[in-house]
Amino acid sequence: MAEFRQFLCWSPTEAATTISTEAVSPSPSIFFATHAPLRIRRRHPEAKADDLGTAVTEEEVRRDFLGRPTANGVLLMPVTGESGTGKSHLVRWVHELTPSTDERVVIYLPKTSTSLRAVVRTLLDQPGIHSPELAQLRADVDRMSSELDVESLERRLINELSEAVAVADARPGQGRVLAGPGNLALLLLDPHVRDHLLQKGKLIPRLAASLLSDRREREDDRPTNFSVTDLPLDIADVNKASDKARRLLSLITSRAELQTAAVDILTEQLPVAVTAAWNMGGGRLQQAMLEIRRQYAAQGKEIILLIEDFVVLQGVQRDLLDALIEAGVRGGKTELAPVRTLMAVTTGYFGRLAETVLTRAKAATPYLYDLDAGFDADEQGRSDITAFAGRYLNAARVGRETLEGANIANGADVPNRCVTCEFQETCHSTFGASTEGHGLYPFNWPTLRRAIRARPAHNNPDSFNPRAVIGEVIRPVLVDHAYALRDGSFPDQRFREDYLTPPSERFMLGAVQREIEERDPADANRRKTFLEFWGDAPDQLSNLDPTLHAAFGIGLLDLDDVARDPSRTSARSTEGPAPERRKPARAIAGELPRALAMMIEHVEEWQGRQSSLPQNTAAHLRATIRQAVINRCLWTEPVMKEPLTADLDRAWPVKSTVVSIEGAEGERSAGTADAPIQFKRNPSNATFFRQLLLASVDVAGNAAALRRLHEIAERYQPDLQRAVQRQRGFSDKELIVGFRASLLGAAVAGHAWPGMKDTELLSSALADGSGWDRLDALSRNPQWQKLWESHRGGRSELVSRLKDSVGFARGKGDVRIVDGTRALPLVRKASEDWTWKAPDKLPEWAKKAVFGLSNFAVVVDAQFADLQHALGKIRAFLPAGVSGTETVQAVDQALRAAVDEGLGPVDLPKFRALLADVRQRDWRSIDRLERDIARVEAAEDGDGRYHAIVATCAADRGADLAAIELFLAASDAWLTERLDQARLRTGGSGESAALRVQEILRQWTEVGA
């Protein structure tokens, strides 16, 4: 016996040619073979939305439509509903069962005949009707169709739309400013606005194409109304538009209410533009249809007009309806043939028509038929849905050729392929069957229900849309997924992507999915999809019916060790339409605080339903993970002062830029893609999040989550430190800049210079400069002093942040320990360059301290020149090799002798004070300066010479040089002044003193020479 495994009881190719989403496309036999009763409600046209009306069958609709007496020869019955609900199917069903007879003529307008030529010719080409006016109208329509191409019609439509808008009555409210020929109408004629309106995908091009050619199967319905996206609100170069157009565009773009008004005006005038563009104005079609009614009245016939989609009449709707609702009985005599019209129209379009065209047809419209049916998963709803799906599944198995040869259109029974299948009993008992005996394989009821809800029409999971069920569920599975089933890979990843978990259905818990991954790593994704769709997402890992597993080639798991674990259940909501929903375990979830239970539910839906993780829940998880990393960080790699809360909030915020959670709200913000910690949407992370949330209460079973949290903190604490470094400006590059600024400032203060040891440079760089006063301030030029004062104002902050960057401290305490391993290489790098060049990125904390440092090299050169000059002056009075002590003694002796002879200085007390002071000075400072300058002069040009200059200038020379220079200059002035007087003195007691003074003067003169 054959095995029921990976079995295809249909041909994918045959299924593709048999199943159609359009009611008008299949042959009559296939149409009746797949026809399932529609859910129809009869309502008054002006009934309120909550008035569901009365449920009726298709046969009741047909009998009522054909048998109800007409009012003055007119009956108009709309069939309303959203696109795909079966309106066209109902109209075709009536058409198939309503042939023309001697008493009536049936005019059928299928929805695929969308071209205006096809519509008009269908209306006018009636047997037994002859008229020169009709012939001329047919000829004009044919000529227009042959002469017009899409581009020409597009331009005509815009021109006529502008004309219609220009003469339309002003709308009440905000739309008044758009009325008249100089506003919205003028905007449509601007070349740049027209270019926008004619872009591919906009309404005008799509409408023009639809008017010129018939609709193909699976093509979108004809566009009927403008939307805001059709408006020219994003013209690339708006400045090229005219001034008037530019001003109006600016006004419309800035005001949403004007955008809505513009859309309404354009939509309202669109039918007028279509009529004018086709030269169908002047009531020509109305007169033609009235002529047809006259001639059929003379023949004693009634007209049955069946319209599958009222939108296809766009451009001739008003004329046609005027002709259809014209009273046929006048003065008790039938002058116009009675006409019964059954027309399908979408709910929204009918609502717009009800305010305009149909207001004049209420007398002919006793009620309408509504096909907007809800998705009911109760027993009756399940029976109806499975019957609908079963008919199409059976048609695919039987095939088009067999169905068309079975004479179904004439009342023969539909063949049931399941009757002859050797697996019928096994298949139906496992996968289920409809009440008519059609097997649901490869679906079962949970799969069918979930797939339908996963692919609803108009994003409404609570509606049953036949076209969406056929085109989005049945046909794709039988055609696109058939080979995966045959090859043993169904349901595969493509099925999972096609049918996401809908909001109204249960989802697979993250804990269950994670256990599947652990127990079946090779085929985990397929098993998860299988359990969710065919097993209805059980709360606990389990095997399904062994036949189900065998059919798809999915092995059974050994689950003897699986025990009910309350921590795996979530705070699932028990609300939902599915009657078979099991009440979840509440051992833990029922005792949780409301806010916590809600966050756990959010996490489960994020994973199981692929929904967005709400912002509050995501923020809570991010905060928990972030704080764990902060708590773990010791701030030792590299060593830095522990940052304050404000620093952490700026560097490591509770945002997706730090902890990114795929699918969470706010994940599209800038920087999310570069977040250091990233969580993908998967069962493992869902379980981790759930356990983290439960860790805040006394719940066992969260040890794994806490271990993982610890691992995350350990792994990402370096990222935290780097983020803090970036935020505080503590990168190596920025610290080198900071240390260089500090060293240059210390050099100006006389505490750092090239050639010092790295440890000495580090010590100087980390000194805040308090108490730093140069002893040689009097020998410094004004620019030098100004540079130091400027740097001193920002040095405290500069040094404080440098300490924070390489030092260790807790909380708000001062840095007590510096990491030399980190700091010394930075200082060494900084000391390679003793000039200041503005860096690409200057830390905020260094900006105040570097003010003026750009002139450092210039100031150094000027100070070096001053030192050279000072040394020259000293050596002019005191040659190299002359003892300073001996010089002081000689001047002292000469002073005493000169005073005795009356040749002393004018201000003798002041000079004696200078002499007393200079005795205490270090005269070796002259030699040190001379050696330093000599080293500069001996150095080669380049960095070596410049560094020697910096070192010479930076060194604090003390106050001795200035005092010595002052003394020597004063002595020179005194001795020079008294020289002539001393030479005139001979004999007497003063002669010897005069001779000593003359000897000293001679020596000074030689020095000067």
Side-chain angles (χ1 to χ4, degrees):
M1 182 178 176
E3 184 180 6
F4 184 53
R5 182 184 181 90
Q6 298 160 219
F7 177 60
L8 289 188
C9 53
W10 70 91
S11 163
T13 303
E14 195 68 37
T17 59
T18 303
I19 298 178
S20 172
T21 59
E22 301 295 346
V24 71
S25 298
S27 64
S29 289
I30 296 178
F31 176 81
F32 283 109
T34 56
H35 171 72
L38 295 167
R39 294 185 176 187
I40 310 169
R41 289 192 172 273
R42 184 166 56 208
R43 296 193 300 110
H44 190 277
E46 295 182 346
K48 295 182 179 179
D50 58 353
D51 183 359
L52 299 179
T54 304
V56 294
T57 65
E58 296 111 322
E59 185 55 37
E60 288 177 300
V61 171
R62 179 175 176 273
R63 286 200 305 266
D64 186 49
F65 172 62
L66 296 177
R68 173 177 286 274
T70 60
N72 289 325
V74 176
L75 178 65
L76 184 64
M77 286 188 174
V79 179
T80 64
E82 295 298 338
S83 179
T85 53
K87 304 182 302 298
S88 301
H89 191 100
L90 176 59
V91 173
R92 181 178 176 183
W93 186 85
V94 172
H95 170 248
E96 293 290 346
L97 300 178
T98 311
S100 295
T101 66
D102 292 339
E103 291 79 26
R104 69 188 180 204
V105 59
V106 177
I107 303 176
Y108 174 52
L109 288 175
K111 66 183 299 182
T112 51
S113 297
T114 58
S115 69
L116 203 53
R117 177 183 180 277
V119 170
V120 175
R121 290 303 298 261
T122 301
L123 291 171
L124 300 184
D125 290 347
Q126 298 306 319
I129 302 297
H130 304 285
S131 166
E133 290 77 15
L134 296 181
Q136 184 60 50
L137 182 55
R138 284 194 293 264
D140 289 346
V141 171
D142 291 343
R143 178 177 53 79
M144 288 290 291
S145 299
S146 61
E147 292 179 354
L148 277 179
D149 56 20
V150 174
E151 291 76 12
S152 300
L153 183 55
E154 290 173 359
R155 292 192 293 271
R156 282 197 180 198
L157 286 171
I158 293 181
N159 291 337
E160 297 299 341
L161 187 59
S162 175
E163 292 288 336
V165 170
V167 300
D169 294 335
R171 295 177 63 87
Q174 298 288 345
R176 288 196 301 271
V177 301
L178 302 177
N183 294 305
L184 184 58
L186 179 64
L187 188 64
L188 294 174
L189 299 179
D190 186 273
H192 296 285
V193 173
R194 289 168 66 96
D195 289 344
H196 177 90
L197 295 175
L198 295 177
Q199 289 177 359
K200 183 179 180 181
K202 300 294 184 184
L203 182 137
I204 294 295
R206 290 187 292 130
L207 176 58
S210 175
L211 289 169
L212 286 174
S213 59
D214 290 336
R215 178 175 177 269
R216 292 187 293 269
E217 185 177 353
R218 307 190 78 170
E219 252 185 1
D220 291 337
D221 292 337
R222 175 182 292 176
T224 60
N225 56 286
F226 281 87
S227 65
V228 173
T229 58
D230 292 308
L231 297 179
L233 304 180
D234 57 351
I235 297 180
D237 192 357
V238 70
N239 292 325
K240 291 183 178 180
S242 65
D243 291 342
K244 178 79 173 180
R246 189 163 58 248
R247 289 194 297 271
L248 187 58
L249 276 175
S250 177
L251 183 64
I252 294 175
T253 302
S254 63
R255 294 171 58 180
E257 65 274 14
L258 286 184
Q259 296 171 23
T260 301
V263 165
D264 292 342
I265 292 171
L266 294 173
T267 298
E268 184 177 290
Q269 299 305 317
L270 188 59
V272 179
V274 173
T275 301
W278 274 88
N279 195 24
M280 294 286 290
R284 298 181 68 194
L285 182 62
Q286 178 187 1
Q287 295 304 317
M289 291 303 299
L290 290 175
E291 178 61 25
I292 292 174
R293 288 185 64 184
R294 288 190 193 96
Q295 294 194 31
Y296 277 137
Q299 299 174 25
K301 291 187 176 182
E302 181 181 61
I303 298 175
I304 306 297
L305 179 58
L306 304 172
I307 306 172
E308 278 197 354
D309 190 351
F310 189 67
V311 172
V312 302
L313 300 174
Q314 193 173 31
V316 297
Q317 290 169 345
R318 189 180 296 272
D319 275 6
L320 179 60
L321 285 175
D322 284 344
L324 296 180
I325 63 176
E326 183 74 25
V329 180
R330 299 172 181 175
K333 180 182 178 182
T334 302
E335 296 185 1
L336 301 176
V339 58
R340 299 174 183 271
T341 304
L342 185 68
M343 66 177 191
V345 57
T346 59
T347 304
Y349 197 69
F350 178 78
R352 294 198 300 274
L353 288 173
E355 299 177 2
T356 56
V357 178
L358 291 185
T359 55
R360 296 150 53 207
K362 288 181 180 178
T365 310
Y367 38 70
L368 56 80
Y369 296 106
D370 187 3
L371 271 71
D372 278 331
F375 187 111
D376 297 323
D378 56 15
E379 194 62 34
Q380 183 58 49
R382 174 173 176 172
S383 176
D384 291 344
I385 293 169
T386 55
F388 176 87
R391 282 174 170 261
Y392 279 93
L393 292 169
N394 181 64
R397 297 180 185 119
V398 175
R400 186 174 73 174
E401 185 175 346
T402 302
L403 290 174
E404 291 178 346
N407 204 26
I408 299 172
N410 294 322
D413 292 336
V414 180
N416 185 350
R417 175 68 177 82
C418 293
V419 173
T420 60
C421 178
E422 59 181 314
F423 301 116
Q424 179 185 14
E425 183 178 349
T426 300
C427 179
H428 287 198
S429 63
T430 304
F431 289 90
S434 71
T435 55
E436 296 175 317
H438 299 138
L440 299 182
Y441 176 77
F443 301 95
N444 62 1
W445 169 239
T447 311
L448 187 61
R449 187 189 71 237
R450 286 172 170 273
I452 292 173
R453 281 185 167 145
R455 301 303 297 267
H458 312 293
N459 296 318
N460 182 8
D462 295 325
S463 67
F464 181 79
N465 189 286
R467 186 192 299 175
V469 174
I470 300 166
E472 301 293 332
V473 178
I474 297 175
R475 196 175 193 275
V477 169
L478 297 186
V479 177
D480 301 332
H481 294 279
Y483 298 105
L485 174 58
R486 185 193 62 188
D487 297 338
S489 59
F490 180 80
D492 55 11
Q493 182 61 28
R494 181 180 176 186
F495 181 91
R496 173 76 270 186
E497 292 170 355
D498 286 347
Y499 304 103
L500 301 177
T501 304
S504 54
E505 289 289 342
R506 297 162 61 89
F507 55 85
M508 185 79 74
L509 294 176
V512 178
Q513 294 195 49
R514 185 178 181 185
E515 188 167 2
I516 292 173
E517 291 175 348
E518 293 172 353
R519 292 176 177 268
D520 187 14
D523 209 16
N525 288 335
R526 194 157 74 105
R527 187 178 294 275
K528 284 188 286 187
T529 304
F530 174 66
L531 281 180
E532 177 170 331
F533 276 80
W534 279 263
D536 215 6
D539 283 336
Q540 194 85 3
L541 178 59
S542 59
N543 290 317
L544 304 182
D545 188 312
T547 306
L548 270 173
H549 283 264
F552 296 150
I554 298 176
L556 295 168
L557 294 176
D558 182 2
L559 301 178
D560 291 341
D561 60 330
V562 174
R564 283 282 172 182
D565 181 359
S567 69
R568 294 182 183 274
T569 58
S570 75
R572 278 192 191 270
S573 170
T574 57
E575 300 177 0
E580 68 276 34
R581 181 186 295 277
R582 299 182 300 277
K583 182 177 180 180
R586 298 283 181 169
I588 293 176
E591 302 298 326
L592 295 178
R594 178 180 174 81
L596 180 58
M598 184 64 69
M599 286 193 289
I600 291 175
E601 182 71 7
H602 291 162
V603 169
E604 294 292 3
E605 293 204 358
W606 167 75
Q607 160 57 24
R609 207 183 297 286
Q610 302 291 294
S611 60
S612 295
L613 187 64
Q615 193 167 13
N616 289 343
T617 301
H620 182 89
L621 291 168
R622 291 187 182 112
T624 301
I625 295 165
R626 167 189 181 268
Q627 192 59 48
V629 179
I630 292 174
N631 294 344
R632 177 65 185 84
C633 193
L634 299 177
W635 311 106
T636 57
E637 296 179 4
V639 170
M640 69 171 69
K641 182 180 178 181
E642 182 177 351
L644 301 178
T645 300
D647 294 321
L648 291 170
D649 289 343
R650 288 189 292 268
W652 196 257
V654 187
K655 294 182 178 179
S656 60
T657 53
V658 171
V659 181
S660 172
I661 303 174
E662 182 184 11
E665 292 180 359
E667 281 294 305
R668 295 183 178 179
S669 59
T672 296
D674 299 322
I677 305 177
Q678 299 193 16
F679 292 94
K680 295 294 183 183
R681 193 200 310 259
N682 58 46
S684 176
N685 288 333
T687 301
F688 172 60
F689 290 160
R690 183 177 185 278
Q691 291 176 342
L692 274 188
L693 294 170
L694 286 172
S696 63
V697 295
D698 188 14
V699 175
N702 298 316
L706 296 178
R707 284 195 300 271
R708 184 178 175 189
L709 185 63
H710 177 79
E711 292 169 358
I712 289 173
E714 181 69 27
R715 177 179 176 183
Y716 291 105
Q717 55 125 346
D719 294 273
L720 168 60
Q721 293 212 170
R722 284 191 289 270
V724 172
Q725 280 183 290
R726 288 193 299 271
Q727 186 276 324
R728 301 172 82 182
F730 286 177
S731 69
D732 285 0
K733 189 175 182 179
E734 290 168 309
L735 291 179
I736 290 170
V737 169
F739 274 116
R740 180 170 294 130
S742 183
L743 289 175
L744 293 179
V748 177
H751 288 269
W753 52 81
M756 290 178 68
K757 294 180 180 179
D758 292 342
T759 53
E760 296 171 336
L761 289 173
L762 176 60
S763 178
S764 296
L766 295 181
D768 63 9
S770 59
W772 279 3
D773 293 307
R774 292 192 71 108
L775 298 177
D776 62 354
L778 293 177
S779 65
R780 297 283 131 176
N781 62 46
Q783 291 84 359
W784 189 280
Q785 294 285 24
K786 183 178 180 180
L787 183 59
W788 167 240
E789 293 302 326
S790 175
H791 173 78
R792 190 206 300 260
R795 185 172 183 83
S796 177
E797 180 184 6
L798 171 70
V799 171
S800 176
R801 299 309 294 271
L802 287 174
K803 286 182 178 179
D804 290 349
S805 70
V806 296
F808 183 79
R810 283 292 184 185
K812 297 182 179 180
D814 294 332
V815 170
R816 300 295 183 184
I817 302 173
V818 172
D819 182 7
T821 304
R822 171 163 167 74
L824 286 173
L826 299 173
V827 171
R828 189 178 303 118
K829 185 67 177 178
S831 65
E832 292 177 358
D833 188 356
W834 288 81
T835 61
W836 183 259
K837 304 179 186 68
D840 296 334
K841 185 178 182 182
L842 180 67
E844 191 68 29
W845 42 265
K847 288 183 177 179
K848 190 175 180 181
V850 304
F851 186 76
L853 286 183
S854 57
N855 294 323
F856 179 82
V858 175
V859 173
V860 165
D861 286 340
Q863 183 61 49
F864 183 68
D866 286 353
L867 289 175
Q868 287 179 308
H869 180 69
L871 179 62
K873 288 179 64 177
I874 290 173
R875 284 308 183 196
F877 303 133
L878 184 68
V882 177
S883 169
T885 302
E886 293 174 352
T887 300
V888 172
Q889 291 176 351
V891 171
D892 182 41
Q893 293 174 4
L895 178 63
R896 286 196 295 269
V899 169
D900 292 343
E901 297 297 328
L903 298 176
V906 175
D907 190 347
L908 181 60
K910 181 178 180 180
F911 190 85
R912 281 177 172 167
L914 284 175
L915 185 60
D917 177 71
V918 82
R919 291 181 187 277
Q920 309 302 320
R921 300 297 178 178
D922 182 5
W923 288 72
R924 291 174 297 177
S925 61
I926 302 172
D927 296 330
R928 288 193 292 271
L929 174 60
E930 193 167 43
R931 286 195 300 271
D932 289 344
I933 291 177
R935 276 196 293 269
V936 172
E937 294 173 346
E940 297 182 0
D941 291 340
D943 289 345
R945 177 180 173 84
Y946 174 72
H947 287 177
I949 292 175
V950 173
T952 299
C953 295
D956 192 334
R957 302 292 169 179
D960 296 334
L961 281 175
I964 291 171
E965 181 182 349
L966 180 62
F967 165 73
L968 292 176
S971 297
D972 177 67
W974 161 59
L975 292 172
T976 300
E977 180 183 357
R978 299 302 187 183
L979 180 60
D980 292 339
Q981 298 177 27
R983 287 175 177 170
L984 294 175
R985 295 290 182 90
T986 56
S989 60
E991 182 177 2
S992 60
L995 291 175
R996 287 195 295 273
V997 171
Q998 287 177 0
E999 176 61 21
I1000 293 172
L1001 291 175
R1002 183 186 62 76
Q1003 294 175 2
W1004 280 103
T1005 302
E1006 290 179 353
V1007 170

